[in-house]
Amino acid sequence: MTISRLRSSIPVDPYIAAIVGMVGLATLLPLHGVGTAIGGHATDVAIALLFFLHGARLSTTEALVGARHWRLHLVIFLATFGLFPLLGLAAHALAPHLLTPALWTGVILICILPSTVQSSVAFTSIAGGNVSAALCSATASNLVGIVATPLLAGALLSSHGGFSGTAALDIVVQLLLPFLAGQLSRPLIGGWVIGHHRLLGLVDRGSILLIVYTAFSDGVSHGIWHQVNATQMVTVFGIDMVLLALVLLITHFGSGLLGFSREDRIAIMFCGSKKSLASGLPMASLMLAGQPVGLIVLPLMLFHQIQLMTCAALARSYGGHAQAGSGETGGALLQAH
């Protein structure tokens, strides 16, 4: 059996396995003392580098291309930054005691994050949807999310675990300024960054793994595994599944009622239902400073895997057997986030 076939036969995404590995490593060998300080500084540098490279890669004009599809983009934005938060708040209002405050904060965090670029476009392409529209909307979602997510966090998370007053400055210094610096540097290094996409992927995934390790190290030192049990984990999993299912159903049938074409409906459904782990973990570590971040990001980590597996199946169903049979595309899909 070849390595590619072996990897395709493994039901677990290797990247998710690596994240789980970081959780296990932090549980067995958490950072202490000087190591905690070093890990914190390394995480700050990794986050700044990550957003600098994303700024250098993402073209601002990509978010403006296809302005004639403004209705489609508006629906996706409303799903990402409107429908999701409403559903999250409704779930908390209906069953506030179903989860601990930290886990509810994690659910609300999912709801205010921007969409992904890679997986949104990949799923839309495999399903035979409007790829250019998906690229424009997903890119714009990430650009807008740098500002919209902290604003929504300030409005919604104050009653779900707290939004640090200094977090806004941290967001500007560690996320927005590096991103803007990357945008300004794009004419000089944009081509090089795009040509070395594996480097960006390495920084992207490496920074997430580092954030997970440092967050859970802090969590272990504060007794995270004594604060959550198997029942709560199953409950979080169920809430994540229901949340994703509702958004998929509402975007699918809602876009149909609004008269969008099949291709546009596919783009709306896949872009409007995605939440970015790559943006979410760095933002959480900054926005929720002083909070049990390791515990708070558990719902997001579960949601990430659920959305990949669910939408992969949906995309193959929409696209048909010809597109679903491409092993190379499927392998790249499971690595997208």
Side-chain angles (χ1 to χ4, degrees):
M1 178 180 290
T2 64
I3 294 179
S4 60
R5 289 183 178 179
L6 178 62
R7 290 183 61 186
S8 64
S9 66
I10 300 175
V12 178
D13 182 357
Y15 180 56
I16 295 297
I19 291 178
V20 174
M22 288 296 102
V23 175
L25 181 63
T27 301
L28 297 175
L29 298 172
L31 294 172
H32 296 288
V34 177
T36 300
I38 294 175
H41 292 311
T43 300
D44 292 341
V45 171
I47 291 173
L49 178 60
L50 171 66
F51 277 81
F52 173 80
L53 292 176
H54 274 291
R57 181 179 66 87
L58 293 177
S59 171
T60 307
T61 58
E62 288 178 349
L64 303 177
V65 172
R68 64 184 180 276
H69 295 303
W70 66 269
R71 289 178 64 247
L72 179 144
H73 302 317
L74 179 61
V75 170
I76 292 175
F77 289 162
L78 289 176
T80 302
F81 299 113
L83 175 61
F84 258 108
L86 288 175
L87 290 175
L89 291 174
H92 179 265
L94 290 173
H97 303 298
L98 198 59
L99 298 175
T100 64
L103 290 176
W104 270 123
T105 299
V107 173
I108 301 299
L109 174 67
I110 293 172
C111 297
I112 63 177
L113 291 176
S115 180
T116 64
V117 177
Q118 299 98 320
S119 59
S120 293
V121 175
F123 289 134
T124 301
S125 176
I126 291 174
N130 189 334
V131 175
S132 62
L135 177 61
C136 294
S137 285
T139 302
S141 177
N142 278 258
L143 295 174
V144 173
I146 293 178
V147 176
T149 295
L151 290 177
L152 286 170
L156 302 181
L157 293 183
S158 58
S159 60
H160 296 86
F163 178 70
S164 172
T166 61
L169 180 60
D170 292 335
I171 289 290
V172 171
V173 172
Q174 295 190 46
L175 299 187
L176 187 57
L177 289 183
F179 184 86
L180 293 176
Q183 285 278 287
L184 294 174
S185 304
R186 194 173 187 277
L188 298 176
I189 66 173
W192 183 87
V193 172
I194 294 173
H196 293 77
H197 62 277
R198 290 186 179 181
L199 173 63
L200 180 59
L202 179 63
V203 175
D204 201 341
R205 289 166 170 77
S207 64
I208 297 303
L209 295 178
L210 181 59
I211 291 168
V212 170
Y213 177 64
T214 55
F216 275 89
S217 288
D218 180 70
V220 169
S221 67
H222 289 85
I224 181 176
W225 299 124
H226 298 291
Q227 302 174 41
V228 61
N229 54 41
T231 300
Q232 290 175 326
M233 289 290 287
V234 172
T235 303
V236 170
F237 188 86
I239 291 175
D240 281 354
M241 289 189 66
V242 171
L243 184 62
L244 178 62
L246 286 175
V247 174
L248 286 170
L249 288 171
I250 292 172
T251 53
H252 173 74
F253 290 106
S255 59
L257 292 174
L258 292 173
F260 285 99
S261 67
R262 178 183 183 276
E263 291 76 14
D264 287 347
R265 290 173 66 186
I266 289 173
I268 290 171
M269 185 175 68
F270 285 118
C271 293
S273 63
K274 297 294 154 303
K275 291 295 179 175
S276 176
L277 181 73
S279 296
L281 289 180
M283 287 183 175
S285 67
L286 297 177
M287 295 187 303
L288 301 170
Q291 303 296 322
V293 178
L295 187 61
I296 290 171
V297 299
L298 275 176
L300 174 60
M301 292 168 61
L302 288 174
F303 188 87
H304 174 74
Q305 182 68 357
I306 292 169
Q307 72 177 7
L308 282 181
M309 301 303 292
T310 302
C311 292
L314 285 174
R316 293 188 181 106
S317 176
Y318 272 94
H321 296 292
Q323 289 176 314
S326 175
E328 181 179 354
T329 303
L333 175 64
L334 288 179
Q335 294 179 16
H337 63 283

